[in-house]
Amino acid sequence: MHNPGTTLSAMRASAPLVHNITNFVAMNVMANVLLAIGASPAMVHAREEAAEFAGLAQALTVNIGTADPAWGTAMQEAAAVMSEADRPWVFDPVGVAATRFRQDLSDRLLDLKPTVVRGNASEILTLAGLGGSARGVDTGDSVASAEDAARALAQRTGGVVAVSGPVDYITDGARVARVSNGHPMMARITVMGCSLNGVIAAFCADHPTFDATVAALAAYGAAGEMAGAAAQGPGSFQVAFLDALHALTPEALNAAAQIELAT
Amino acid sequence: MHNPGTTLSAMRASAPLVHNITNFVAMNVMANVLLAIGASPAMVHAREEAAEFAGLAQALTVNIGTADPAWGTAMQEAAAVMSEADRPWVFDPVGVAATRFRQDLSDRLLDLKPTVVRGNASEILTLAGLGGSARGVDTGDSVASAEDAARALAQRTGGVVAVSGPVDYITDGARVARVSNGHPMMARITVMGCSLNGVIAAFCADHPTFDATVAALAAYGAAGEMAGAAAQGPGSFQVAFLDALHALTPEALNAAAQIELAT
Amino acid sequence: MHNPGTTLSAMRASAPLVHNITNFVAMNVMANVLLAIGASPAMVHAREEAAEFAGLAQALTVNIGTADPAWGTAMQEAAAVMSEADRPWVFDPVGVAATRFRQDLSDRLLDLKPTVVRGNASEILTLAGLGGSARGVDTGDSVASAEDAARALAQRTGGVVAVSGPVDYITDGARVARVSNGHPMMARITVMGCSLNGVIAAFCADHPTFDATVAALAAYGAAGEMAGAAAQGPGSFQVAFLDALHALTPEALNAAAQIELAT
């Protein structure tokens, strides 16, 4: 396993262009998160240009939080471009349990074999067909309860699955890692998960997927810890979090990372 | 009348899922406002899923600030779900005077009898067919000039109407309250009114509408006063406002609330 | 040439209503930027109302960052209203090199003769048919390399062209100005260029275009310098920038402005 600081440094050196088809709520924050950590974001979703733009990008993220049928088509076309070019794309099944539309679109996206699927426990349980007790777009399940679902889903996609929570669970169907970085305030701010997808995609642009995903989760959580130490509440947390992503050095990341590897 | 601190505590204990069909400008801030005060937001607007999602929510907000015909249909279908289930929904007629499209959509939404209508004075005057002198999405009229319009509109909908301004005016057609909490900087930040709709909806999820609306306006204005005391300008005001919503205790709210009841 | 402080004061006195058809990423920040500096923003993009709304506005901005065909039609209809009424509109060709859709839409908008075109060097080179080496929505070219392209483009539109960068270049095809205000952190925050379009439009509402554009760029850059002196990173920069736009006095602007006129 690479150390996460090395992966961060290499990502910053290449500053990958990350194409994001994400929800309206996340677009601005996600772009700023990617800029703050050192990548180059673009938010492009229209069917008339999504696939063409994907051809220019080093990585792609797809998030169904505010999709509609036209965006669903754009997502599939852009994801197909990445899969054919063997470039990474990250899928976030936001609120998949809530509506039939989200379930159908997620099924079609899973068939395109996302490099990484990242969601909360309820979302991963739902994708794996194992139930789950979501509440709107929030999880009602523990990360531990979604471990079997994550492994099954990774075996279906042939990629990596990451379950976000107080301790994140990452698997490629065989290997397992747990990352316990983070801060409770991250759950009191919207689109923290959505924005993380971009960081994972940026880290995966030039690195093996499993290691890059683990490093991205550690970096994101470490920045959250730095921000939490400085913040008075959710407003000042957001500000401190962008500052922390920008200030995070490889050395500070290696010192802060709490990664446990298992099998 | 309940005291507003009690209503705030009860809302936080139930953390209602608030479904928002709001404008692009407001989505992120509104989600963070709802999280900061203790509710659970979701932003879902596509026609393919809005009504289904409304079936999961404890309350709904509808805001026409950046609507189009497809969203207009989603708004009506989601509102109909709430009305049939006797669950609250809040309607914000942003900029209704500006275009024929907004007027037609607002008429259709009023026919579905929103639990609460909240707008600025010009918007309420326009909805009541009494003119008004809006300037884009900003008011050109005083709250006092819209009192008759608010009462007439409340009698049409059978619900509560709230006119936002330096002193808010709230009526159910018979009872009247005025809330004078707030800070002038709230008018120098975008989507402060839009985000307030979510707080009203969250407070109404488990409480009688008139009392809940008054309590929500007092809580929002009290947080604005706390933020205004800490801020250097509109940027730092936004940050301090989210921190203040999160930090606001029932006791602090009861101490700060400036509510005048009348008939 | 007016001094920029006088132009700022006059803009604040009239508080022009600026209609923006901009991208999803920029909407919230751009509205707050316009409010902070003293204008009155509205974000209205649906085809069903964009032209009608433009009829109410003192100035318009058009930005293709997240356009689709329906928005493209709204942009053209709103721009035509402004051109016919001889009111200013600003065009930002975000990422025009990236896709055929953006190039076609930009061509149609240029035919409507925007009062001001503002973009980065790669975008201006692309519009002028002179190549450019964009990377997604970011420039790969220097401002100096786009000077000929800017003059040629200004001669095509009959308006002003502004190339943003460390030193901005502004021309109406004959006159030239360079503005060297700004701060490196402005390139580490998303939608700083998009939001600037609104400030240019507001300044142009009541003033000759070339002078107003120069004054707007100086004011924006001066606020960036103030923010950069106060910020710890990109998160705190955003906050300080809105505070600085709000606090910027005509006297401080005149003292800070770094404008070089040439021919």
Side-chain angles (χ1 to χ4, degrees):
Chain A
M1 173 122 198
H2 301 104
N3 76 50
T6 301
T7 311
L8 172 63
S9 291
M11 185 281 293
R12 282 179 175 155
S14 73
L17 176 59
V18 181
H19 174 189
N20 304 288
I21 309 182
T22 190
N23 65 71
F24 298 123
V25 192
M27 287 184 188
N28 184 277
V29 174
M30 189 177 186
N32 276 323
V33 161
L34 281 163
L35 286 167
I37 203 163
S40 179
M43 312 338 247
V44 178
H45 66 276
R47 183 181 181 181
E48 288 74 15
E49 59 177 4
E52 186 179 356
F53 198 92
L56 306 172
Q58 275 79 53
L60 170 72
T61 70
V62 169
N63 175 310
I64 62 168
T66 58
D68 65 15
W71 282 31
T73 302
M75 289 171 179
Q76 293 171 75
E77 294 179 350
V81 167
M82 302 311 278
S83 290
E84 283 160 27
D86 203 23
R87 278 176 276 146
W89 67 285
V90 178
F91 170 47
D92 184 344
V94 175
V96 60
T99 69
R100 173 58 51 192
F101 173 73
R102 290 176 195 231
Q103 290 152 31
D104 291 346
L105 177 55
S106 293
D107 275 341
R108 291 196 296 277
L109 288 163
L110 286 177
D111 286 343
L112 293 167
K113 301 199 174 299
T115 316
V116 181
V117 178
R118 193 210 61 81
N120 64 37
S122 294
E123 290 159 353
I124 300 301
L125 282 161
T126 301
L127 285 189
L130 296 173
S133 52
R135 182 146 182 284
V137 297
D138 296 322
T139 189
D141 302 284
S142 68
V143 172
S145 71
E147 293 191 359
D148 289 349
R151 277 194 304 274
L153 190 61
Q155 284 157 1
R156 171 177 171 189
T157 63
V160 165
V161 175
V163 187
S164 289
V167 179
D168 306 315
Y169 176 87
I170 305 98
T171 183
D172 62 1
R175 285 176 295 177
V176 165
R178 290 182 178 81
V179 176
S180 49
N181 293 104
H183 189 275
M185 193 60 81
M186 298 173 91
R188 303 309 301 166
I189 307 285
T190 196
V191 304
M192 286 298 284
C194 306
S195 300
L196 169 56
N197 302 330
V199 177
I200 294 172
F203 275 58
C204 287
D206 294 307
H207 288 269
T209 305
F210 182 80
D211 286 7
T213 303
V214 170
L217 290 169
Y220 206 71
E225 293 166 11
M226 292 164 63
Q232 314 297 313
S236 46
F237 182 88
Q238 285 190 288
V239 172
F241 184 65
L242 287 177
D243 284 358
L245 287 170
H246 184 73
L248 185 68
T249 62
E251 297 72 29
L253 172 54
N254 285 338
Q258 299 195 11
I259 299 169
E260 178 198 348
L261 298 174
T263 52
Chain B
M1 173 121 198
H2 301 103
N3 76 52
T6 301
T7 311
L8 172 62
S9 291
M11 186 280 292
R12 283 179 174 154
S14 73
L17 176 59
V18 181
H19 174 189
N20 304 287
I21 308 180
T22 191
N23 66 71
F24 298 124
V25 192
M27 286 184 189
N28 184 277
V29 174
M30 189 176 187
N32 277 323
V33 160
L34 281 163
L35 285 166
I37 203 163
S40 178
M43 312 338 248
V44 178
H45 65 276
R47 183 180 180 181
E48 289 74 15
E49 59 177 5
E52 185 178 356
F53 198 92
L56 305 173
Q58 275 79 55
L60 170 73
T61 69
V62 169
N63 176 309
I64 62 168
T66 58
D68 65 14
W71 282 31
T73 302
M75 289 171 179
Q76 293 171 75
E77 293 178 352
V81 167
M82 302 311 277
S83 290
E84 283 161 26
D86 203 23
R87 278 176 275 145
W89 67 285
V90 177
F91 170 47
D92 184 343
V94 175
V96 60
T99 69
R100 172 59 50 192
F101 173 72
R102 290 178 195 230
Q103 290 151 32
D104 290 346
L105 178 55
S106 293
D107 275 341
R108 290 197 296 276
L109 288 163
L110 286 177
D111 286 343
L112 292 167
K113 302 200 172 300
T115 316
V116 180
V117 179
R118 192 211 61 81
N120 64 37
S122 294
E123 290 158 354
I124 300 302
L125 282 160
T126 301
L127 284 190
L130 296 173
S133 52
R135 184 147 182 282
V137 297
D138 296 321
T139 189
D141 302 283
S142 69
V143 172
S145 72
E147 293 191 359
D148 289 350
R151 277 195 303 274
L153 190 61
Q155 283 158 1
R156 171 176 171 191
T157 63
V160 164
V161 175
V163 187
S164 288
V167 178
D168 306 315
Y169 176 86
I170 305 99
T171 183
D172 62 1
R175 286 177 292 177
V176 165
R178 291 183 177 81
V179 176
S180 49
N181 293 104
H183 189 276
M185 193 60 80
M186 299 174 90
R188 303 309 303 165
I189 308 285
T190 195
V191 303
M192 287 297 284
C194 306
S195 300
L196 169 56
N197 302 331
V199 177
I200 295 172
F203 275 58
C204 287
D206 294 309
H207 288 269
T209 305
F210 182 80
D211 286 8
T213 302
V214 169
L217 290 169
Y220 206 70
E225 293 166 10
M226 293 165 62
Q232 313 298 313
S236 47
F237 182 88
Q238 285 190 288
V239 172
F241 184 64
L242 286 178
D243 283 358
L245 287 170
H246 185 72
L248 185 67
T249 61
E251 296 73 29
L253 172 53
N254 285 338
Q258 299 194 11
I259 299 169
E260 177 199 348
L261 299 175
T263 51
Chain C
M1 173 120 198
H2 301 103
N3 76 50
T6 301
T7 310
L8 172 63
S9 291
M11 185 281 292
R12 283 179 174 154
S14 74
L17 176 60
V18 181
H19 174 189
N20 305 288
I21 309 182
T22 191
N23 65 71
F24 298 123
V25 193
M27 286 184 188
N28 183 278
V29 174
M30 188 177 188
N32 277 324
V33 161
L34 280 163
L35 285 167
I37 204 164
S40 179
M43 313 337 247
V44 178
H45 65 276
R47 185 181 179 180
E48 288 74 15
E49 58 177 6
E52 185 179 357
F53 198 92
L56 305 173
Q58 274 80 54
L60 169 73
T61 69
V62 169
N63 176 309
I64 62 168
T66 58
D68 66 14
W71 282 31
T73 302
M75 289 170 178
Q76 293 172 77
E77 293 178 350
V81 167
M82 301 311 277
S83 290
E84 283 160 27
D86 202 24
R87 277 176 277 146
W89 67 285
V90 178
F91 170 47
D92 184 343
V94 176
V96 61
T99 69
R100 173 59 49 193
F101 173 73
R102 289 177 195 230
Q103 290 152 33
D104 290 345
L105 178 55
S106 294
D107 276 341
R108 291 197 296 277
L109 288 163
L110 286 177
D111 286 343
L112 294 167
K113 302 199 172 301
T115 315
V116 182
V117 178
R118 192 211 60 82
N120 64 37
S122 295
E123 290 157 354
I124 300 301
L125 282 160
T126 301
L127 285 189
L130 296 172
S133 53
R135 184 146 181 283
V137 297
D138 295 322
T139 189
D141 301 285
S142 68
V143 172
S145 71
E147 293 190 0
D148 289 349
R151 278 194 303 274
L153 190 61
Q155 284 156 1
R156 172 176 170 191
T157 63
V160 165
V161 174
V163 188
S164 290
V167 178
D168 306 316
Y169 177 86
I170 305 99
T171 183
D172 62 0
R175 285 176 294 176
V176 165
R178 290 182 177 81
V179 176
S180 49
N181 294 103
H183 189 275
M185 193 60 81
M186 298 173 90
R188 303 310 302 165
I189 307 285
T190 196
V191 304
M192 287 298 284
C194 306
S195 301
L196 169 56
N197 303 330
V199 177
I200 295 172
F203 275 58
C204 287
D206 294 307
H207 289 269
T209 305
F210 182 80
D211 287 7
T213 302
V214 171
L217 290 168
Y220 206 70
E225 293 166 10
M226 292 164 63
Q232 314 298 312
S236 46
F237 182 87
Q238 286 190 289
V239 172
F241 184 64
L242 287 178
D243 284 358
L245 287 171
H246 185 73
L248 185 67
T249 62
E251 296 72 27
L253 172 53
N254 285 339
Q258 299 194 11
I259 300 170
E260 177 199 348
L261 298 175
T263 51

